[in-house]
């Protein structure tokens, strides 16, 4: 039987991974608001520097989740995690008893809301390590990377997760499953917590310039994230800060996702990436003055942007 | 005999206080580069919301300190304190044996450079609590406040300082002398260290909005400045943070001097206000992560501005 997938949030992440699943033989529908007319008529134009160029024609193109016809094996939630988006409400009407809920999203401690709302469903947490942009209506540019990490909550790998992983691999992208996906979120946060906000607060510096000028500051933030992770039960490797620093020195100068949002006057994932980490620190009684400073300044920046 | 004064840096601060000294009967010359032609021909137009409007015609208008004719009783250095301005070189050629060097400038730990360069001269450190702007060539707008604090280094009040203070008072502005002018600098820094950089890093928020959104963060920075001041021998009053917070809630929403510089694409006093405080903390072995964060972010912001 054909695997049925519904992608909610068909932007640079959702449309790209949806296109891969369709390539692997799944029946892939999309909920897609802003580019609805374009995608309905012409599908998505996927331009990948790694996998080539092709058109992704979804099986259904929908304005609302409620319009979905059929029973989804997987609902893939790929929106940004921002306070104005109610993630539970977005997916509820497409979730059946056997639907696995997959979220491929940024941030830490973003799981519980979904787990609480769907206590009887399988919940798969996903992380994308990718550089992709939406370059126009229905236009997705995949520049580099693309690895996915998938794992069930609270900490195992189900058959359904393994199968989804296999589909992504068949489509040509690296995908790994893990029994410690929550730990993986904290690992990703070690990099995101400094570079995302610093790229915005600096007024638009790429990662390399930030690092070359303020490596000690970047390290201080990373170390605080490691301490929070440990306090929440996720001990990261001792050398993770060094590895991240070395890796970033070798990357080409890179504009973070938060900087791209900032430059495009789009809401930023401040709460998912920084706010949730700070709240975890406060809850665990850990002092994180560097992260608190960055969070306070991002809140001031947003206050000014929304003024 | 008429008191002879040379003002170096005849901007919003220098021209205003020079105009007051001329009002009190002193012979006041100015070194004034950017507005030289205008001031040479028409003097300064002083528009004070408190003291009225008048024209200040300097006794000499000079492009360079070396052109000064006569022997100055007081040299008043009123430039911004920024790395590109060599304060010692700027004043050297007008400093005679009996010249008192007065600097009316922002920042902490900015004294030693002058003390070291002129070991045989009287050095008077001055702080201006004023809201004034240069609104055009030779145009000075004095909006509010105006108090001056003057004191000799390392910590006394000379006859010459008392006399200068008297001249300012005669001209109608509040002036106080203090035997603890270095302590006064730290007190001013308690307010400047948060509000100046936060106004810039937020992208232009006035003081009230900063405080209403992030009072705890502002307090953390202020408390770090108090700890640095104490370590350098300047114990501030226990309630100074509370007093500053309450005072700022009562002020009209205010654009800081650093924000005005930022908006006018002028160099900011980051090093004099934040950098020197951070360096003092490191030297004294005090951890100041909030101030370090703000400093690092200001350096990134400047890096981007100068890119």
């Amino acid at each position: 039987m054909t695997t049925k997938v519904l992608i909610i949030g068909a932007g640079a992440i959702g449309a790209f991974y949806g296109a891969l699943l369709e390539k692997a033989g799944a029946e892939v529908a999309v909920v897609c608001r802003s580019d609805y007319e374009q995608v309905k008529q012409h599908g998505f134009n996927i331009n990948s520097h790694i996998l080539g160029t092709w058109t992704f024609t979804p099986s259904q193109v929908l304005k609302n989740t409620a319009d979905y016809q059929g029973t989804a094996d997987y609902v893939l939630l790929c929106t940004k995690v921002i306070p104005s988006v109610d993630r539970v409400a977005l997916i509820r009407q497409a979730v059946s008893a056997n639907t696995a809920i997959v979220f491929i999203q940024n941030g830490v401690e973003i799981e519980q809301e979904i787990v609480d709302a769907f206590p009887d469903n399988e919940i798969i947490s996903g992380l994308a390590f990718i550089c992709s942009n939406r370059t126009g209506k229905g236009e997705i540019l995949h520049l580099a990377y693309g690895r996915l990490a998938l794992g069930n909550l609270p900490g195992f790998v189900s058959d359904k997760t393994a199968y989804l992983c296999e589909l992504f691999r068949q489509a040509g992208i690296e995908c790994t499953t893990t029994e410690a996906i929550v730990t993986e979120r904290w690992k990703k946060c070690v990099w995101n917590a400094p570079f995302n906000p610093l790229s915005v607060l600096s007024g638009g510096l790429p990662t390399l310039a930030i690092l070359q000028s303020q490596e000690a500051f970047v390290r201080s933030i990373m170390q605080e994230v490691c301490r929070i992770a440990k306090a929440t039960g996720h001990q990261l490797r001792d050398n993770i800060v060094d590895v991240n620093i070395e890796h970033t020195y070798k990357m080409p100068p890179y504009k973070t996702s938060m900087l791209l949002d900032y430059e495009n006057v789009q809401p930023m994932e401040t709460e998912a990436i920084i706010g949730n980490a700070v709240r975890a620190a406060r809850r665990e009684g850990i002092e994180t003055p560097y992260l608190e400073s960055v969070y306070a300044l991002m809140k001031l920046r947003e206050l000014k942007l929304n003024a």
Side-chain angles (χ1 to χ4, degrees), chain A:
Chain A
M1 244 179 62
T2 311
T3 302
K4 290 192 173 67
V5 177
L6 174 63
I7 307 282
I8 297 174
I13 301 290
F16 179 69
Y17 288 109
L20 293 179
L21 291 175
E22 195 246 7
K23 236 186 168 189
E27 190 183 302
V28 182
V30 300
V31 176
C32 152
R33 285 190 192 175
S34 45
D35 297 354
Y36 176 79
E37 291 299 338
Q38 171 73 25
V39 173
K40 181 91 183 167
Q41 286 183 36
H42 306 287
F44 288 97
N45 182 20
I46 311 287
N47 179 1
S48 166
H49 287 190
I50 296 170
L51 299 170
T53 298
W54 74 98
T55 299
F56 160 40
T57 308
S59 61
Q60 302 172 50
V61 178
L62 313 166
K63 276 194 173 163
N64 295 295
T65 309
D67 302 332
Y68 181 62
Q69 303 289 318
T71 304
D73 298 301
Y74 300 92
V75 164
L76 258 72
L77 179 61
C78 301
T79 60
K80 278 194 291 188
V81 182
I82 48 178
S84 61
V85 169
D86 183 338
R87 298 154 76 217
V88 170
L90 261 187
I91 62 177
R92 187 175 296 282
Q93 289 178 286
V95 175
S96 306
N98 291 318
T99 303
I101 299 166
V102 188
F103 48 91
I104 302 178
Q105 298 184 302
N106 259 323
V108 291
E109 301 209 337
I110 62 165
E111 302 93 347
Q112 203 56 44
E113 181 186 3
I114 306 290
V115 171
D116 289 346
F118 303 99
D120 301 323
N121 286 81
E122 189 173 318
I123 313 279
I124 304 170
S125 175
L127 281 170
F129 300 83
I130 187 169
C131 180
S132 64
N133 296 320
R134 172 187 169 281
T135 51
K137 282 189 183 294
E139 301 279 333
I140 307 296
L141 178 64
H142 172 215
L143 287 154
Y145 311 107
R147 182 169 74 85
L148 267 185
L150 300 173
N152 291 69
L153 296 176
F156 62 100
V157 175
S158 73
D159 290 348
K160 255 189 149 166
T161 302
Y163 182 72
L164 186 64
C165 184
E166 191 49 37
L167 290 180
F168 283 118
R169 286 179 184 160
Q170 282 175 27
I173 207 85
E174 190 185 348
C175 187
T176 53
T177 58
T178 170
E179 295 180 352
I181 190 68
V182 178
T183 307
E184 293 301 313
R185 285 200 175 274
W186 283 107
K187 280 165 73 173
K188 193 175 183 193
C189 190
V190 169
W191 194 91
N192 275 337
F195 287 109
N196 269 288
L198 268 49
S199 63
V200 172
L201 293 169
S202 67
L205 286 179
T207 50
L208 186 61
I210 291 169
L211 196 52
Q212 285 172 334
S213 168
Q214 299 296 330
E215 181 180 323
F217 182 44
V218 168
R219 283 179 178 270
S220 297
I221 298 169
M222 288 181 168
Q223 279 149 2
E224 287 183 345
V225 173
C226 292
R227 292 217 309 279
I228 307 168
K230 185 178 178 184
T232 64
H234 303 279
Q235 171 91 54
L236 310 183
R237 276 181 305 176
D238 285 345
N239 66 346
I240 190 169
V241 171
D242 288 338
V243 168
N244 268 281
I245 295 288
E246 281 162 37
H247 172 68
T248 309
Y249 270 118
K250 286 176 197 154
M251 280 166 64
Y254 180 73
K255 282 194 175 188
T256 67
S257 62
M258 217 180 256
L259 177 56
L260 291 173
D261 283 335
Y262 174 71
E263 290 182 344
N264 294 318
V265 200
Q266 294 296 315
M268 296 179 280
E269 296 188 309
T270 307
E271 293 302 339
I273 297 173
I274 315 297
N276 285 355
V278 163
R279 280 182 283 275
R282 292 176 186 167
R283 186 186 69 224
E284 303 292 339
I286 296 172
E287 289 199 6
T288 57
Y290 292 99
L291 208 51
E292 289 270 6
S293 297
V294 165
Y295 183 48
L297 284 163
M298 283 300 296
K299 297 313 285 177
L300 290 174
R301 193 95 191 112
E302 291 182 334
L303 184 64
K304 173 68 182 172
L305 284 172
N306 299 326

